[in-house]
Amino acid sequence: MSKTKIVLLTTGTMVAFATNSLLCRMALRDAHIDAASFTAIRLASGALMLWLIIRFSNRSIRQHGSWCSAFALFSYAGAFSYAYLSLPASTGALLLFGAVQATMIGYGLWRGERLDTFQSVGLVLACAGLIGLMMPGLSAPSPHGTVLMLIAGISWGGYSLRGRGGINPTENTASNFIRTLPFAALLSVAMLSHAAFDSQGIGYAVISGALASGLGYAIWYGVLPGLRATTAAIVQLSVPVIAALGGAIILREARL
């Protein structure tokens, strides 16, 4: 894959990831849907989208994916949804990708990777930009929401690292999404007494699952093999900025 294509696909994927935060926050903040139902519909929609992609490309998902990766994906999606019950979009995205970055960069450094000059400068500039963007109106986020979003970030970071080594990333992602469905069903049953949703909430969850998640992840894990772990972590720092701008413009939320 050419560098230009990697840059374009990576940029589009970062926008999709930020859109996930906005959709989840819109759905949960205004009580259009409960967190467990959002998680289940998002994962089911993502699984269907990926299955369709595989089917129309005449490929198979047999012998791909793993239950370990699927559980990491489910852990991310579930913790992500419940965290957004109490966190604004920008704060959640910042915590999420801070945890993703720490997980992936830490793993890369542990494996012997080192940041080159360009990556080091990029990391410093990105962090400075985040601090400058988030400082106005700075307030302490919900402790419960913070812990859940950090769990989501660590889970996503681990899942991303597992996905880097995949030979068939789209098939692996599709299989893993399908494998999350039993976990999502158990969560839905456990939280059945809290279930509540309307057509708008279902719509947000379907868009989040099918487009921002399913299609977005298929592209992301196709790009990941061409990125170093440290580079993949650094580039995701753009997502909190996109989410913060979207939260301020679309949701009318304070940046933090």
Side-chain angles (χ1 to χ4, degrees):
M1 190 181 297
S2 68
K3 290 184 177 180
T4 300
K5 189 174 182 179
I6 289 176
V7 169
L8 291 175
L9 291 176
T10 300
T11 300
T13 306
M14 295 305 103
V15 173
F17 289 167
T19 301
N20 261 326
S21 290
L22 299 177
L23 289 168
C24 187
R25 182 59 177 160
M26 283 191 290
L28 298 175
R29 183 189 66 175
D30 299 326
H32 291 296
I33 194 169
D34 64 285
S37 296
F38 185 92
T39 301
I41 295 173
R42 178 187 178 190
L43 291 172
S45 300
L48 178 59
M49 170 62 78
L50 288 163
W51 179 80
L52 290 172
I53 291 173
I54 298 299
R55 174 150 187 189
F56 283 107
S57 60
N58 294 317
R59 291 177 288 175
S60 172
I61 62 173
R62 294 181 180 178
Q63 307 303 320
H64 291 290
S66 71
W67 286 104
C68 183
S69 291
F71 185 74
L73 178 59
F74 166 75
S75 297
Y76 149 70
F80 178 90
S81 296
Y82 278 95
Y84 269 128
L85 288 171
S86 57
L87 297 176
S90 58
T91 305
L94 179 61
L95 291 168
L96 175 69
F97 286 93
V100 171
Q101 175 196 333
T103 301
M104 297 186 72
I105 288 181
Y107 176 82
L109 295 176
W110 177 69
R111 289 292 300 272
E113 293 184 14
R114 292 294 179 267
L115 298 178
D116 58 31
T117 301
F118 177 77
Q119 290 174 315
S120 299
V121 172
L123 178 60
V124 171
L125 290 176
C127 290
L130 285 173
I131 293 172
L133 179 67
M134 303 299 182
M135 278 299 289
L138 185 65
S139 60
S142 159
H144 182 254
T146 295
V147 170
L148 285 172
M149 196 59 85
L150 291 177
I151 292 172
I154 293 170
S155 298
W156 189 350
Y159 183 68
S160 295
L161 289 169
R162 290 179 63 85
R164 289 181 70 243
I167 299 174
N168 304 102
T170 303
E171 290 88 335
N172 285 332
T173 305
S175 178
N176 288 329
F177 259 82
I178 292 171
R179 289 171 190 257
T180 65
L181 299 184
F183 300 125
L186 288 173
L187 176 63
S188 295
V189 170
M191 303 302 294
L192 188 60
S193 61
H194 299 282
F197 47 81
D198 57 27
S199 59
Q200 193 169 347
I202 293 173
Y204 287 143
V206 169
I207 295 171
S208 175
L211 300 180
S213 296
L215 187 59
Y217 289 3
I219 296 172
W220 177 234
Y221 293 114
V223 171
L224 268 178
L227 300 174
R228 295 170 58 187
T230 47
T231 302
I234 292 170
V235 74
Q236 292 181 80
L237 284 170
S238 64
V239 177
V241 178
I242 299 170
L245 294 174
I249 296 171
I250 299 173
L251 303 179
R252 305 296 182 184
E253 288 183 338
R255 282 175 283 185
L256 269 183

